Amino acid sequence: MKVWKPALVLMMAGLSSQVMAADCSVEISSNDAMQFDKASISVPQSCKQFTVKLKHSGKMAKNIMGHNWVLTKTADMQGVASDGIAAGLDKSYLKAGDARVIAHTKVIGGGESDTISFAPSKLKAGEAYSFFCSFPGHSGIMKGTVQVTK
């Protein structure tokens, strides 16, 4: 039995490092019914980079039912969404150079995906953050919260 214990410890160490790595990323799915499959995301402060992979499980084209993932302070969300409408689809419905946007994916259509990474150091513990889709009319429904965790 003692021979197996070191192997078990090594195996468990490998599993725990995989779990820790998984904590620095999230996959979010969107669909043709204007829904994200997650309402909240936890971002550990210990991550050097946090990665968001957005998938569109629907079938509609991005000019009809496109989705993106945008991260802002909650207080900035409505202004970013409103200001982005005029930017158009080719700019992912985000005003160029908008400093209120912490991170965002491009707008994707059915069957597509996009990935974005950002430094959690841009987020402050105790601040309210939200993610949303900036496609016109979607942010009222397609939104969630982001919490910074230790």
Side-chain angles (χ1 to χ4, degrees), residues 4-22:
W4 292 105
K5 286 184 181 179
L8 183 60
V9 169
L10 289 173
M11 185 176 78
M12 294 303 287
L15 287 175
S16 67
S17 68
Q18 288 175 357
V19 169
M20 290 177 77

Side-chain angles (χ1 to χ4, degrees), residues 3-136:
V3 172
W4 292 105
K5 286 184 181 179
L8 183 60
V9 169
L10 289 173
M11 185 176 78
M12 294 303 287
L15 287 175
S16 67
S17 68
Q18 288 175 357
V19 169
M20 290 177 77
D23 288 344
C24 292
S25 66
V26 68
E27 188 172 294
I28 298 179
S29 186
S30 59
N31 61 34
D32 288 339
M34 290 187 357
Q35 298 170 326
F36 285 127
D37 68 345
K38 291 180 179 43
S40 66
I41 298 171
S42 294
V43 177
Q45 283 180 322
S46 60
C47 296
K48 291 190 187 306
Q49 289 289 306
F50 189 83
T51 302
V52 176
K53 180 175 184 179
L54 175 65
K55 295 175 74 176
H56 193 316
S57 62
K59 298 189 183 321
M60 298 176 120
K62 67 182 174 184
N63 63 327
I64 298 168
M65 188 56 68
H67 303 306
N68 63 352
W69 184 92
V70 181
L71 172 62
T72 65
K73 289 181 181 178
T74 300
D76 293 334
M77 186 177 87
Q78 186 58 50
V80 169
S82 295
D83 292 348
I85 293 171
L89 178 61
D90 62 327
K91 303 275 194 266
S92 292
Y93 297 106
L94 293 168
K95 184 173 84 173
D98 193 332
R100 300 170 295 181
V101 175
I102 298 165
H104 70 89
T105 65
K106 66 183 180 183
V107 172
I108 58 172
E112 297 179 329
S113 64
D114 193 29
T115 302
I116 187 73
S117 294
F118 65 93
S121 60
K122 293 182 175 183
L123 308 178
K124 294 178 178 43
E127 181 74 54
Y129 296 97
S130 291
F131 67 88
F132 63 97
C133 174
S134 66
F135 193 97

